[in-house]
Amino acid sequence: MLTDSERFAFSAWRIHAFASTGNAYDAVQTDESIAAGDTLLVLDDRVVGVAMTWPFAITAVPGKLHAVCEPGADETLGHIEKALAVPDGSIARACRLARTLGFAIDAGLVPLLSEPLARDGVD
């Protein structure tokens, strides 16, 4: 039998799919079921993003989502996530989805990703 801490020792990865980046942006602003750090997916625009007050794209083309600022010299994904007030791992999860779908990741984020995520091709 699992204890309470074993039973709840997981984290959910929520992905919300939209018809356009404009729809994604609007939904983040109005739908309380979309939490900071959730992944936003717009297949037709080849965009993956992260939900927060100002939702941002991790893909090369942001559409109507905000683009990520160029990271500083010693900045890590953890620094960016903390500055943007999204949960740890939110950006890496979004990048994993983008890579799986074959979408180009924002060039500023690529150097911060672990090796498998940073590769151009899908494994």
Side-chain angles (χ1 to χ4, degrees), residues 39-63:
T39 300
L40 309 173
L41 172 61
V42 184
L43 283 173
D44 289 344
D45 295 341
R46 301 180 61 81
V47 173
V48 175
V50 177
M52 61 160 303
T53 306
W54 300 283
F56 61 94
I58 57 82
T59 46
V61 177

